């Protein structure tokens, strides 16, 4: 059992940490736990833990555990240990030997490092359970766990958001690191960082393109999938969220990382503020549909250790199994009120405290599921579209997931915008796959589908909550995104060749509607790029390059129209 709770309970003013008077209030949600320890850490200059002080918390009160701790201020490193039943068959896997990251932690002092001790159950080769009985692990995970930090709420406000007319919005999707990592015009110490995104050279580039809105691939703190780490690979895109509040610290400058977690937060805020001052909106790609804890046999890092049965969607018969509609091992269960609260609190934080202008929701259909059933009036979607902090911000749905009835383009409620995959497919078909078929003497399609998409996709969007539907401005039209081929790939490959990630070309879609124009692979060209492994064996390179460039211009021109 945990130590007796001999400090006062915290007032009920929200989850996470709140600086209050002579100290700090801590509150977490663990409804099935029998006891919870708040763990205050003392760390040396190298980031190693030299002392752990455990404080028993009051609870559970409506599932909440809390404590007011005098003397605690900004910079305090902390986490939790949770006690309770070990019953994997019932979806309960409490193990106080696992140091847990606060789901509401605003910054990280250390990132989690893959180790057998991160698993609540005993594991063997490749992290697999050592027995069918799922024996409890006796290893302490603290040396390898992610550690949270109490942050200072006093900071310089972010500059106000620019006002962009909906019919003039041009969204530029990019990755914080990849955008500037190889850009020599930016100082070397800023390349591949939050600060690099907001550098004057990058701002001028975006403004000259006519971009109004920059959409960043996930910047929430992440933990790479164990199977990737064991292969020496990483989840570069970042769709493996560990924390819904803390930014990914490795994207900050080296100087900020060395100065500490608060400096990382300040760099993110400064990036948003500078982009606002330049007239650019900032949208975050966010992943609330699943977490980095993976499948039922994955590590216990945060949510799983507090309430595995509540946060994740379990098989109703065999609770040792998850129902996975995301294809990533786990699915957040949005029938659970605490999962909804966590998501809304995170969104409000990023708007109110970090200054962002909106969100693009990865696999957004999952957010509207009542277990297997998708509902456009789901409580989470209703809350987001009516919340006074969120409803005026950009809410962009990736309107599909891999569950039953998972394709929902055009069906999200006002004021959501939807990624329009039908538009993407129509443009690729008209300009690439149809000409490819006709070059082989086959028939293509007529222009009706293309005309419908250019005219605003009324078949998808001209219905809904109002008499006139959501209007064409609800459709986010695009040709390429981070999923699948780039524009250069579309005109250089008939088939995908995803080999570098060691998945033997199994991942990604085979339906790309692409056209290599007669030669598979890239050719040395300012537009196409260079692949030294590709040799021209046809003698028609001079014909292929202009043909590919023409197709690229056709796609871009149609998109801009």
């Amino acid at each position: 059992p945990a130590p007796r709770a001999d400090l006062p309970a915290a007032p009920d003013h929200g989850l996470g940490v709140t600086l209050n008077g002579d100290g700090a209030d801590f509150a977490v949600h663990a409804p099935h736990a029998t006891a919870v320890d708040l763990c205050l850490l003392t760390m040396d200059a190298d980031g190693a833990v030299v002392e752990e002080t455990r404080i028993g918390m009051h609870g559970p009160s409506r599932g909440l555990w809390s404590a007011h701790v005098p003397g605690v201020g900004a910079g305090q490193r902390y986490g939790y240990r949770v006690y309770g039943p070990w019953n994997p068959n019932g979806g309960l896997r409490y193990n106080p030997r696992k140091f847990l990251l606060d789901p509401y932690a605003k910054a990280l002092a250390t990132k989690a490092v893959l180790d057998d001790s991160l698993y609540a159950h005993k594991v063997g080769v490749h992290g697999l359970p050592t027995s069918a009985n799922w024996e409890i692990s006796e290893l302490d995970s603290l040396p390898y766990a992610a550690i949270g930090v109490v942050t200072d709420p006093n900071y310089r406000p972010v500059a106000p958001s620019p006002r962009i007319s909906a019919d003039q919005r041009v969204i530029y999707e990019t990755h914080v690191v990849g955008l500037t990592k190889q850009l020599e015009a930016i100082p070397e110490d800023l390349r591949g960082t939050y600060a690099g995104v907001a550098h004057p050279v990058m701002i001028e580039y975006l403004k000259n393109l006519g971009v109004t809105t920059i959409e960043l691939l996930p910047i929430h703190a992440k933990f790479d999938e164990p199977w990737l780490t064991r292969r020496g690979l990483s989840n570069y895109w970042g769709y493996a969220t560990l924390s819904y509040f803390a930014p990914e610290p490795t994207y900050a400058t080296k100087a900020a990382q060395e100065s500490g977690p608060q400096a990382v937060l300040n760099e993110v805020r400064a990036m948003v503020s500078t982009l606002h001052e330049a007239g650019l909106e900032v949208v975050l790609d966010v992943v609330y549909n699943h977490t980095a804890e993976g499948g039922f046999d994955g590590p216990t890092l945060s949510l799983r250790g507090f309430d595995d049965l509540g946060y994740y969607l379990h098989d109703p018969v065999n609770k040792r199994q998850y129902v996975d509609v995301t294809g990533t091992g786990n699915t957040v269960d949005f029938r659970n009120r605490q999962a909804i609260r966590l998501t809304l609190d995170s969104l409000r934080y990023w708007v109110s405290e970090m200054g962002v202008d909106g969100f693009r929701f990865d696999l957004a259909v999952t957010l509207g599921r009542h277990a297997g059933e998708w509902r456009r009036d789901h409580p989470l979607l209703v809350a987001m579209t009516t919340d006074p902090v969120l409803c005026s911000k950009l809410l962009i749905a990736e309107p599909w997931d891999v569950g039953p009835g998972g394709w929902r383009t055009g069906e999200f409620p006002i004021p959501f915008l939807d990624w329009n995959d039908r538009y993407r497919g129509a443009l690729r078909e008209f300009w690439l796959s149809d000409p490819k078929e006709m070059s082989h003497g086959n028939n293509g399609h007529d222009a009706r589908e293309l005309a419908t998409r250019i005219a605003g996709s009324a078949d998808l969007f001209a219905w809904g909550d109002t008499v006139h539907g959501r209007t064409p401005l609800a459709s986010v039209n695009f040709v390429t995104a981070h999923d699948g081929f780039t524009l250069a790939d579309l005109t250089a490959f008939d088939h995908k060749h995803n080999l570098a990630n060691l998945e033997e070309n199994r991942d990604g879609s085979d339906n790309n509607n692409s056209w290599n124009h007669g030669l598979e692979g890239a050719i040395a060209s300012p537009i196409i790029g260079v692949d030294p492994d590709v040799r021209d064996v046809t003698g028609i390179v001079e014909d292929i390059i202009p043909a590919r460039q023409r197709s690229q211009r056709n796609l871009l021109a149609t998109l801009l129209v």
Side-chain angles (χ1 to χ4, degrees):
R4 181 175 58 88
D6 53 4
L7 289 172
D12 186 6
H13 49 203
L15 293 163
V17 184
T18 305
L19 295 179
N20 184 17
D22 64 341
D25 298 326
F26 294 82
V28 294
H29 188 264
H32 304 291
T34 57
V36 176
D37 280 354
L38 166 65
C39 305
L40 303 181
L41 306 178
T42 302
M43 304 176 70
D44 62 21
D46 296 324
V49 176
V50 296
E51 183 179 6
E52 176 186 1
T53 301
R54 301 189 188 183
I55 299 169
M57 303 185 76
H58 289 268
S61 173
R62 294 173 296 167
L64 301 180
W65 298 79
S66 68
H68 174 79
V69 186
V72 169
Q76 175 66 58
R77 274 61 171 164
Y78 76 104
Y80 295 94
R81 296 181 186 272
V82 182
Y83 301 76
W86 178 260
N87 179 17
N89 290 330
L92 298 171
R93 292 188 293 170
Y94 288 107
N95 187 341
R97 298 174 184 87
K98 307 307 156 186
F99 186 89
L100 304 178
L101 177 69
D102 180 1
Y104 280 72
K106 304 299 193 301
L108 300 186
T110 64
K111 286 178 61 68
V113 178
L114 182 63
D115 183 79
D116 288 352
S117 65
L118 294 181
Y119 294 82
H121 55 280
K122 289 183 179 180
V123 297
V125 179
H126 302 310
L128 297 175
T130 55
S131 74
N133 295 326
W134 291 77
E135 299 176 69
I136 191 169
S137 167
E138 297 177 355
L139 302 175
D140 193 304
S141 69
L142 176 56
Y144 301 94
I147 296 173
V149 183
V150 179
T151 57
D152 188 347
N154 298 312
Y155 50 83
R156 183 172 18 171
V158 174
S161 302
R163 294 187 177 183
I164 306 297
S165 173
D167 61 333
Q168 297 298 311
R169 183 170 285 116
V170 177
I171 301 172
Y172 186 102
E173 183 194 62
T174 189
H175 189 288
V176 166
V177 175
L179 183 62
T180 63
K181 186 67 174 178
Q182 299 179 359
L183 191 57
E184 294 182 358
I186 289 179
E188 186 173 0
D189 61 326
L190 302 184
R191 295 176 199 163
T193 69
Y194 299 117
V197 173
H199 189 275
V201 168
M202 183 48 58
I203 288 175
E204 182 181 10
Y205 171 75
L206 294 171
K207 297 288 284 186
N208 285 342
L209 282 177
V211 169
T212 67
T213 308
I214 185 168
E215 178 186 306
L216 300 175
L217 268 68
I219 67 170
H220 286 166
K222 63 189 179 79
F223 178 77
D224 292 342
E225 291 85 347
W227 66 269
L228 283 175
T229 302
R230 294 188 182 100
R231 295 184 180 192
L233 303 174
S234 64
N235 188 325
Y236 168 70
W237 281 349
Y239 290 88
T241 303
L242 172 61
S243 170
Y244 290 151
F245 290 82
E248 172 57 36
T250 62
Y251 295 171
T253 57
K254 184 178 180 180
Q257 293 182 56
E258 291 175 347
S259 296
Q262 191 71 46
V264 173
L265 272 181
N266 292 341
E267 185 173 313
V268 177
R269 287 195 184 100
M271 172 192 71
V272 176
S273 191
T274 303
L275 292 170
H276 281 178
E277 290 172 346
L280 294 168
E281 294 177 315
V282 180
V283 171
L284 302 185
D285 194 336
V286 287
V287 186
Y288 294 106
N289 60 80
H290 73 279
T291 75
E293 292 184 304
F296 197 76
D297 58 353
T300 294
L301 307 168
S302 183
L303 297 182
R304 177 173 286 144
F306 290 100
D307 186 14
D308 180 55
L309 195 59
Y311 281 116
Y312 296 122
L313 185 59
H314 289 251
D315 186 295
V317 177
N318 179 10
K319 289 186 169 54
R320 201 168 74 176
Q321 299 295 328
Y322 287 156
V323 175
D324 179 12
V325 300
T326 63
T328 57
N330 66 46
T331 298
V332 175
D333 188 353
F334 288 108
R335 296 174 302 176
N336 182 293
R337 293 189 179 191
Q338 186 55 36
I340 292 176
R341 179 179 181 180
L342 176 65
T343 302
L344 292 172
D345 286 347
S346 168
L347 294 170
R348 293 189 195 103
Y349 170 77
W350 282 95
V351 169
S352 301
E353 305 297 323
M354 304 299 283
V356 304
D357 303 294
F359 308 92
R360 178 267 187 191
F361 296 93
D362 179 65
L363 301 182
V365 169
T366 301
L367 278 61
R369 283 193 181 275
H370 186 80
E373 177 192 7
W374 185 83
R375 293 164 44 180
R376 69 194 306 268
D377 62 348
H378 187 283
L380 178 55
L381 300 182
V382 172
M384 284 194 285
T385 57
T386 58
D387 183 277
V389 175
L390 302 176
C391 68
S392 62
K393 301 300 177 180
L394 277 170
L395 305 174
I396 304 172
E398 182 185 36
W400 50 79
D401 66 10
V402 300
W407 185 80
R408 297 288 173 174
T409 305
E411 297 185 37
F412 276 74
I414 294 172
F416 266 93
L417 313 180
D418 294 6
W419 270 25
N420 192 342
D421 55 320
R422 292 279 296 276
Y423 181 99
R424 174 189 62 190
L427 263 64
R428 292 185 181 192
E429 180 181 82
F430 184 84
W431 289 118
L432 296 175
S433 58
D434 275 0
K436 177 175 69 175
E437 289 299 314
M438 289 186 282
S439 71
H440 294 137
N442 301 320
N443 295 325
H445 299 83
D446 57 33
R448 283 179 291 182
E449 178 70 7
L450 177 69
T452 300
R453 301 304 145 220
I454 292 178
S457 297
D459 57 330
L460 299 176
F461 294 96
W463 67 279
D465 299 328
T466 65
V467 174
H468 300 292
R470 293 168 64 199
T471 83
L473 293 179
S475 173
V476 177
N477 299 331
F478 67 109
V479 176
T480 64
H482 64 275
D483 284 329
F485 286 2
T486 65
L487 185 63
D489 292 338
L490 281 177
T491 60
F493 296 94
D494 279 358
H495 311 284
K496 61 183 173 67
H497 301 268
N498 295 343
L499 301 175
N501 58 15
L502 307 183
E503 293 189 48
E504 300 178 352
N505 209 34
R506 293 189 302 269
D507 66 314
S509 173
D510 290 304
N511 183 29
N512 287 293
N513 287 334
S514 59
W515 182 25
N516 65 19
H517 293 76
L519 178 66
E520 186 77 356
I523 304 168
S525 160
I527 300 295
I528 302 299
V530 178
D531 185 343
D533 296 327
V534 174
R535 299 289 182 268
D536 174 32
V537 295
T538 66
I540 58 172
V541 167
E542 294 303 319
D543 294 329
I544 289 178
I545 290 178
R548 289 180 174 179
Q549 292 174 342
R550 182 179 64 242
S551 291
Q552 292 172 8
R553 290 194 300 271
N554 288 339
L555 287 162
L556 286 173
T558 310
L559 176 65
L560 295 175
V561 167

